[in-house]
Amino acid sequence: MTRYADFYKRSLAEPDAFWAEQAELVDWHTPPKQICDYTNPPFAKWFVGGSMNLCHNAVDRHLKDRADQAALIAVSTETDTEKVYSFRDLHAEVQRMAATMVDLGVKKGDRVLIYMPMIAEAAFAMLACARIGAIHSVVFGGFASGSLASRIEDASPALIVSADAGSRSGKPIAYKPLLDEAIRLSKHKPPAILMVDRVLCPMELVAGRDHLWRDLRQKHLDADVPCEWVDSTHPSYTLYTSGTTGKPKGVQRDTGGYAVALAASMKHIFCANAGETYFSTSDIGWVVGHSYIVYGPLIAGMATIMYEGLPTRPDGGIWWSLVEKYKVTAMFSAPTAVRVLKKQDPALLKKYDLSSLRALYLAGEPLDEPTATWISESLGKPIIDNYWQTETGWPILTIANGVDKAPSKFGSPGVPMYGYDVKLIDENTGEELKGADQKGVVVIEGPLPPGCMQTVWRDDDRFVNTYWKSIPGKLVYSTFDWGIRDKDGYFFILGRTDDVINVAGHRLGTREIEESISAHPNISEVAVVGVADQLKGQVAMAFAIVKDAALLPDAAARLKLEGEIMKLVDKDLGAVARPSRVQFVTLLPKTRSGKLLRRAIQAVCERRDPGDLTTMEDPAALQQIKDLTA
Ligand code: ATP
Ligand code: MG
């Protein structure tokens, strides 16, 4: 048996001893009295009786050994600015922000909504909340007033921290009018507002309500705000899921379990060492930004890069230039970003010295084989796929190279991580599928390990009913993803449970069909959905983007390519999986975090209302599909 297999087995067989050891990776004010209280399933309480502070663990505790080392590296290719904050600087800025929050009336347990672009002040605000025991709720800066208003109502914040503007492609995008409109739309009593003025867009301030960070920072320049020691189970934040499958869910996270889970993942999964640099290209509006831009790397004593800008501006080499400049050792991105880079000049990947980089971690959506092969060959570095959810806060499936070096398998995110009792369940019978190569729903046996969601914010019933009641007769956490495990224990994610197609009694994952189609040399991206069909129950429909529009000059060329793709699927998966149509588009509907919105495509194909589209990136994409299927 490998060292990892032993490590994993022990995490489930002796969870208290296992997690008590992991808990030593962080600082406690009061050590926990009990490792896990699972007397009221599915609600797990981790490190009960312990008290600590996330900000202390991310910032203060590093002052002793690395006060002058880089902590936060804020790079913006939008405003052409770059600033390195040492742990000492970060400590000072966070205290200024914390003092400002206290000044504006924020108390322990109050919510602070953060609606910010990717600037250092956003991280200061998150850490300041943690410092004073306030609960942050970061809302992705790209959301418009409607989405923001519903999140304001749900979080009922005492304070909103925002900025005059974000920026995209060098063009400022005003936030203040969107914020004002959201406050007007929401039924929540208007909270205090703290505005960071980047001097990108003029702002109108409401007297008595709106405050400028610039002024309050000045007032609190020498602030000394001690960390509030909170119970391990005290909520640290709430965050919404991406809304790929429906209405976003407000995930609530604890403090102690999260700190331990992140510290452990930095060591065992990301092989991180204090003093090194971590670069995650995500956004603070998503869970990856929370865990692996802000908290994880800082808890590990690393410098973390916060990047505002496109991956392609000034050119497709910008990220690699940062890897060279800051000697990044671990990098985290998403397949969607890699696909963008793939369209750039490949020479840009060879231009920089990437010798510091040990691995590139990718998550968020299935990593298709062509994308994986391209990036791994171009970089000459290990590519580590990892599968998880906003709900879990850290990887469920991947490879823990920090415990034991293990090979990756293309198309598989890897094996279950320590603490996660991952199983496959037959949806119809509710029985566990123990054999190799059987398809089922990926579920996790309770208790969920440290770092995972405690509940849905203010809605325990929704937590239980949404996640734990989907398999009749069993209290297990459903990921709502469909998967398969091979004989070596590696999992493959086949798509969301909603995306499983039933063609004449055959159950197929949309992902399998997409993989097959994207292997065609002329296809760059594809979405497959199941559409209701009177005869067969459901049929697969594909919407594909070609690599070069010149490939499809006319209807005859489209028909020819459609035929080739159908043949390809026949050969790979059999005729049952063959899409009834392959249509060509220039854009696919995605969430703002880059995930395919298959449910919206499916609804349009079936002429139904596509539902909640607040997280959709570009409505034009769905319109193309509407036009094609009209
Ligand atoms: P919602 O739950 O609101 O529909 P969402 O599920 O897209 O939104 P996230 O929590 O951001 O919100 O995404 C988690 C999901 O992303 C997983 O359940 C899975 O479907 C997909 N996913 C994440 N990482 C991977 C991966 N490495 N491989 C395959 N799928 C992945
Ligand atoms: Mg989800």
Side-chain angles (χ1 to χ4, degrees), residues 7 10 17-26 28 47 260-261 263-265 267-268 418:
F7 188 80
R10 178 162 176 260
F18 180 90
W19 287 109
E21 267 167 38
Q22 306 306 319
E24 286 172 19
L25 294 168
V26 297
W28 294 89
F47 307 111
V260 172
S265 71
K267 180 174 177 203
H268 306 310
Y418 50 90

Side-chain angles (χ1 to χ4, degrees), residues 109-113 135-139 148-158 188 238 240 457-458:
D110 283 350
R111 274 78 54 213
V112 173
L113 190 138
I135 302 168
H136 60 69
S137 183
V138 180
V139 176
L148 182 56
S150 64
R151 286 158 175 77
I152 292 174
E153 254 171 44
D154 198 58
S156 56
H188 178 61
T238 68
Y240 292 89
W457 172 245
R458 275 191 183 143

Side-chain angles (χ1 to χ4, degrees), residues 283-515:
D283 188 286
I284 47 148
W286 313 125
V287 68
V288 179
H290 283 63
S291 293
Y292 299 114
I293 294 178
V294 179
Y295 292 113
L298 292 176
I299 287 174
M302 297 179 89
T304 183
I305 297 181
M306 209 170 156
Y307 176 77
E308 179 187 46
L310 300 175
T312 50
R313 228 176 66 103
D315 63 42
I318 176 66
W319 285 356
W320 315 117
S321 79
L322 293 174
V323 171
E324 176 184 283
K325 180 165 179 189
Y326 294 106
K327 301 197 171 48
V328 171
T329 55
M331 186 164 165
F332 195 131
S333 194
T336 185
V338 175
R339 274 184 227 112
V340 169
L341 292 176
K342 204 171 151 189
K343 295 184 187 135
Q344 306 288 309
D345 181 359
L348 290 167
L349 272 155
K350 301 274 175 260
K351 198 172 148 191
Y352 299 96
D353 175 8
L354 306 182
S355 55
S356 60
L357 189 66
R358 289 193 292 262
L360 172 66
Y361 296 83
L362 296 174
E365 46 178 322
L367 176 62
D368 57 287
E369 200 157 334
T371 304
T373 309
W374 177 81
I375 189 69
S376 102
E377 283 172 3
S378 314
L379 281 180
K381 304 281 178 182
I383 306 300
I384 301 180
D385 188 358
N386 55 116
Y387 159 85
W388 46 298
Q389 309 180 304
T390 308
E391 290 87 342
T392 68
W394 61 285
I396 304 169
L397 300 172
T398 185
I399 300 291
N401 277 338
V403 180
D404 191 7
K405 289 262 177 295
S408 293
K409 286 193 189 189
F410 265 145
S412 163
V415 299
M417 283 299 98
Y418 50 90
Y420 287 105
D421 192 359
V422 184
K423 292 181 172 162
L424 287 170
I425 300 275
D426 182 309
E427 281 165 289
N428 300 320
T429 63
E431 293 302 315
E432 186 183 347
L433 301 166
K434 292 193 170 151
D437 302 328
Q438 289 176 293
K439 295 177 191 176
V441 186
V442 180
V443 305
I444 306 166
E445 198 79 50
L448 293 174
C452 293
M453 79 190 291
Q454 288 181 295
T455 184
V456 171
W457 172 245
R458 275 191 183 143
D459 200 345
D460 286 349
D461 288 345
R462 187 161 176 218
F463 175 61
V464 177
N465 294 329
T466 305
Y467 296 102
W468 297 85
K469 289 281 171 76
S470 67
I471 311 290
K474 276 210 171 87
L475 192 71
V476 289
Y477 172 88
S478 178
T479 61
F480 297 104
D481 288 310
W482 216 52
I484 190 166
R485 177 181 43 217
D486 74 6
K487 60 175 187 353
D488 303 320
Y490 283 68
F491 279 72
F492 293 76
I493 299 297
L494 302 174
R496 314 239 178 186
T497 47
D498 301 15
D499 297 334
V500 174
I501 306 185
N502 196 335
V503 184
H506 299 272
R507 300 176 65 62
L508 302 159
T510 47
R511 162 100 199 269
E512 298 170 89
I513 308 176
E514 287 167 4
E515 277 273 334

